[in-house]
Amino acid sequence: MTIRRLLLAAFLLAGLIPASSVTWLAFERSRTAMLDEIEQGIDRSTAATSAELDRLLLERLLNATTWNHLEVMQDLRLDDVDKRLSVFLAEMKRRYGSAYVDLLAVDTRGRVVASSSAGRIGQHDVAGAAWMTLDLPGGQVRLERIAADKLRIRTDIESSFTEGKLGELVLEYDWRQLLGRLDAAADPSRQVLVVDGQHRVVAASAELRQAGAEPGA
């Protein structure tokens, strides 16, 4: 190899190595910035979705622990002979649009005494498997395992005249309302999964549901 070629090769190496280093550093910085932006975007989306789900469920729980203290609930003791309690439940179901599948007042024997759906009155209500129990300022709320696209929220109706309870108020929340929020937050590149404190699946967006992600899994 001639001296000219050696000098040319040395010149090329001397220029190529710094240029490669600068290109690599620029790539790494761009990659890090992009990953940081993606992570922040996921965090923002997760926080917004979580806050929305908390709001939806908290409102349902507060409905339960507010309504169970109303004076009209005492009509459960009289078998709702004037149908005031059934009228109240029907009005609440109407007022909340499609949020509830049904609202029930059940006596201590499990018989539906009042309901927002007249066809349920007189039927026997069987409590489902417990998923979670919460102690709220207005009383204890029991959540049953999600089935048939509805979450059943159950709380006691205490007697104002004697010791003990008259029965239970049961709110059947349309679970599709919550699933719709998850589906809206998902896209072809991102799916949403909600788990509880025991890492059990609470809800999942459409593609994950199709893949078998069901509540309690």
Side-chain angles (χ1 to χ4, degrees):
M1 182 179 289
T2 65
I3 295 177
R4 180 179 178 183
R5 288 184 177 179
L6 284 173
L7 290 174
L8 179 59
F11 175 77
L12 289 174
L13 287 173
L16 181 61
I17 292 173
S20 299
S21 299
V22 170
T23 302
W24 177 253
L25 287 174
F27 171 77
E28 279 296 303
R29 288 178 180 177
S30 298
R31 177 176 175 272
T32 300
M34 181 178 67
L35 290 175
D36 287 344
E37 182 61 29
I38 292 172
E39 183 176 350
Q40 291 175 16
I42 291 174
D43 288 343
R44 288 193 296 269
S45 178
T46 300
T49 303
S50 178
E52 176 68 2
L53 300 186
D54 284 346
R55 184 191 66 78
L56 283 174
L57 290 178
L58 181 59
E59 184 175 0
R60 305 288 80 79
L61 299 179
L62 292 179
N63 284 160
T65 57
T66 300
W67 296 345
N68 70 335
H69 292 294
L70 297 178
E71 185 272 335
V72 70
M73 292 293 160
Q74 297 303 306
D75 285 12
L76 185 62
R77 180 173 59 91
L78 305 173
D79 275 351
D80 195 30
V81 291
D82 293 329
K83 302 303 177 188
R84 287 200 315 152
L85 182 49
S86 290
V87 169
F88 169 79
L89 295 176
E91 173 60 20
M92 290 303 101
K93 182 176 183 296
R94 184 196 66 78
R95 184 175 298 181
Y96 281 86
S98 57
Y100 292 110
V101 177
D102 206 352
L103 303 172
L104 313 170
V106 183
D107 67 17
T108 54
R109 296 171 294 172
R111 181 173 62 92
V112 177
V113 173
S115 172
S116 57
S117 300
R120 300 283 295 273
I121 297 174
Q123 294 182 358
H124 188 72
D125 178 72
V126 179
W131 164 44
M132 187 180 295
T133 300
L134 303 171
D135 290 313
L136 301 178
Q140 187 182 84
V141 177
R142 297 173 295 282
L143 307 182
E144 298 177 4
R145 292 194 184 279
I146 300 146
D149 288 330
K150 63 185 176 184
L151 170 67
R152 285 165 54 91
I153 304 168
R154 188 179 293 268
T155 189
D156 292 343
I157 300 174
E158 300 291 342
S159 174
S160 298
F161 306 99
T162 60
E163 291 293 329
K165 69 177 187 178
L166 296 176
E168 296 174 320
L169 176 64
V170 183
L171 282 59
E172 296 183 341
Y173 173 57
D174 189 344
W175 196 241
R176 292 172 298 180
Q177 299 266 319
L178 186 142
L179 294 179
R181 300 299 199 282
L182 297 186
D183 292 346
D187 59 40
S189 64
R190 176 183 62 195
Q191 296 301 311
V192 184
L193 184 70
V194 180
V195 297
D196 65 14
Q198 285 71 50
H199 306 292
R200 297 172 299 185
V201 174
V202 175
S205 53
E207 286 194 18
L208 294 178
R209 295 198 301 273
Q210 293 170 5
E214 295 295 337

